Amino acid sequence: MKLIIPVSYFFGDVRSELWSLNTETGRKDKLLTLGDSGREVRGKGITGLAILDDEYLIACDFNRLIKIDRNTLNIVNTYEDKEFNDLHSLSVNNRRIYIANTGRDSIDVFTEQLEMLHRIDGLTNDEWQKRISGDYVVDGEYFDSTGLNISFHSRRGPDKWHFNHVFKAPESLGGQTIATSFTARCLLDVNTLSPVSSILPKQPHDGFLYDGFIWVTTVSGQIYRAPLHFPFEFEMVLDLFKLAPYQGWCRGLIIVDGVMFVGLTSIFELSMRTNWLDCPIEETRSGIYQLKMDSMDVECFHDFSSEDGSRIFTMIEDI
């Protein structure tokens, strides 16, 4: 089996790459380095990746939507928006593209030609005006100072809901647009902002529909599942970092033919968001855990760590 993994970097030149991973041999090959957009943000890069159809992949970085030819790996189209900020995951359903526009607190919906259909807004108009004008207080060094006059699409700022993973619920449940919320610690119907799941002890990041369940990972390495009916009542299946050799930001989840792949990103700065970490940050890693679904045993860890601080948000099967 092969996976395609988007990788960006905390340090050094801003760059976004696609890598191929052979999960049987462990071989890693760099497929593509995305061209510069002129809108790069330090320490950021490619985050989301999905299969659009037999011909194209769809990807996003901090502030750009990208359509890629699957055969040539050429970029065939891009979409940029002054209200794109800290894009996270994207998914495809019925030839519609759903993007978690995390820094804008919205879910943006596009056609396969990268034409925006609508923006599902998680902010009131007053909240949005304060956000775009910089009328807020930042704490710590991660966020850009409001006095720097940085354009919104390039600004690292606070958010309200912090949508991470977005997907369409099955039509049997009503076809709602659902997203994980870091802040609310649950899954939300983004049109109503109402919870559709139990509250998790730690912040959820990614989800995957498989074998009649919604599977969810938290940033702190717990893996949960819930039957596919509302509300999603989650039970923990595995506390990954209790048995796995490495810790890090747990981001990225897919399940293929009874094998689970969970992404990991190294940690370089301690904060309230990393209060679950119980090892030195120097021991954290970036890579992909491979687990057997029948036993939830870790089969191997595919290490993508680098001196430049590799960032992994997702992965897809290369089919």
Side-chain angles (χ1 to χ4, degrees):
M1 182 190 316
K2 288 186 178 181
L3 304 180
I4 301 177
I5 302 165
V7 180
S8 58
Y9 300 88
F10 285 111
F11 311 115
D13 295 336
V14 178
R15 62 195 190 277
S16 296
E17 301 165 346
L18 293 183
W19 285 75
S20 173
L21 169 66
N22 186 315
T23 64
E24 296 177 3
T25 66
R27 176 170 175 168
K28 309 177 188 75
D29 294 292
K30 185 165 67 173
L31 301 174
L32 170 68
T33 299
L34 297 179
D36 295 342
S37 67
R39 293 157 53 100
E40 290 79 21
V41 176
R42 175 178 53 85
K44 302 294 183 178
I46 190 170
T47 50
L49 181 68
I51 295 172
L52 183 58
D53 54 31
D54 291 339
E55 296 183 77
Y56 300 106
L57 301 174
I58 194 75
C60 62
D61 60 17
F62 190 85
N63 52 30
R64 177 174 53 155
L65 184 59
I66 307 155
K67 189 174 182 179
I68 301 169
D69 187 291
R70 293 183 64 176
N71 294 315
T72 66
L73 293 180
N74 291 329
I75 294 176
V76 297
N77 196 7
T78 62
Y79 180 92
E80 298 175 353
D81 190 310
K82 65 180 181 180
E83 295 185 22
F84 274 176
N85 183 286
D86 198 15
L87 305 183
H88 272 50
S89 82
L90 49 79
S91 62
V92 177
N93 184 274
N94 289 332
R95 309 191 75 84
R96 295 289 183 260
I97 303 164
Y98 297 81
I99 306 173
N101 189 352
T102 306
R104 174 63 177 80
D105 277 305
S106 69
I107 301 299
D108 299 345
V109 185
F110 287 80
T111 69
E112 58 189 348
Q113 289 79 33
L114 307 194
E115 299 167 340
M116 179 179 278
L117 291 173
H118 59 281
R119 172 167 283 139
I120 306 172
D121 206 330
L123 300 176
T124 66
N125 183 63
D126 183 59
E127 288 173 328
W128 166 235
Q129 292 305 317
K130 289 183 177 180
R131 178 78 54 83
I132 195 170
S133 66
D135 183 11
Y136 50 77
V137 176
V138 296
D139 184 24
E141 297 181 357
Y142 175 80
F143 298 124
D144 293 317
S145 170
T146 56
L148 295 177
N149 294 321
I150 299 173
S151 298
F152 179 74
H153 67 261
S154 297
R155 189 192 311 161
R156 296 184 300 175
D159 50 59
K160 180 179 181 180
W161 299 106
H162 199 98
F163 298 131
N164 288 315
H165 175 74
V166 57
F167 66 98
K168 290 287 284 183
E171 289 301 323
S172 60
L173 298 183
Q176 298 90 334
T177 304
I178 307 296
T180 60
S181 168
F182 186 98
T183 307
R185 301 205 324 269
C186 66
L187 278 62
L188 300 176
D189 179 331
V190 297
N191 281 287
T192 65
L193 298 176
S194 300
V196 294
S197 78
S198 53
I199 305 297
L200 294 165
K202 296 293 183 180
Q203 295 85 354
H205 204 280
D206 291 282
F208 198 84
L209 301 180
Y210 181 80
D211 196 27
F213 290 88
I214 170 71
W215 296 76
V216 167
T217 54
T218 66
V219 294
S220 50
Q222 289 81 34
I223 300 171
Y224 291 85
R225 74 175 186 178
L228 277 178
H229 56 74
F230 291 130
F232 300 137
E233 295 290 345
F234 285 108
E235 62 172 353
M236 188 168 69
V237 177
L238 180 67
D239 193 344
L240 181 60
F241 297 156
K242 296 296 184 184
L243 58 87
Y246 307 115
Q247 298 183 39
W249 278 106
C250 191
R251 299 191 293 207
L253 169 68
I254 63 168
I255 303 171
V256 183
D257 296 333
V259 181
M260 175 181 288
F261 299 94
V262 179
L264 205 64
T265 292
S266 302
I267 296 171
F268 293 95
E269 182 181 4
L270 295 176
S271 69
M272 288 298 296
R273 291 187 173 188
T274 59
N275 58 10
W276 46 266
L277 185 68
D278 60 8
C279 74
I281 58 175
E282 294 80 12
E283 295 179 8
T284 62
R285 293 289 187 273
S286 297
I288 307 292
Y289 277 115
Q290 181 174 326
L291 298 91
K292 295 173 62 177
M293 289 286 291
D294 56 0
S295 63
M296 297 307 289
D297 290 335
V298 175
E299 292 187 292
C300 60
F301 179 70
H302 304 284
D303 201 337
F304 278 81
S305 305
S306 76
E307 293 182 355
D308 286 340
S310 310
R311 304 167 71 244
I312 293 174
F313 275 74
T314 193
M315 70 288 294
I316 63 171
E317 183 183 8
D318 187 4
I319 56 177

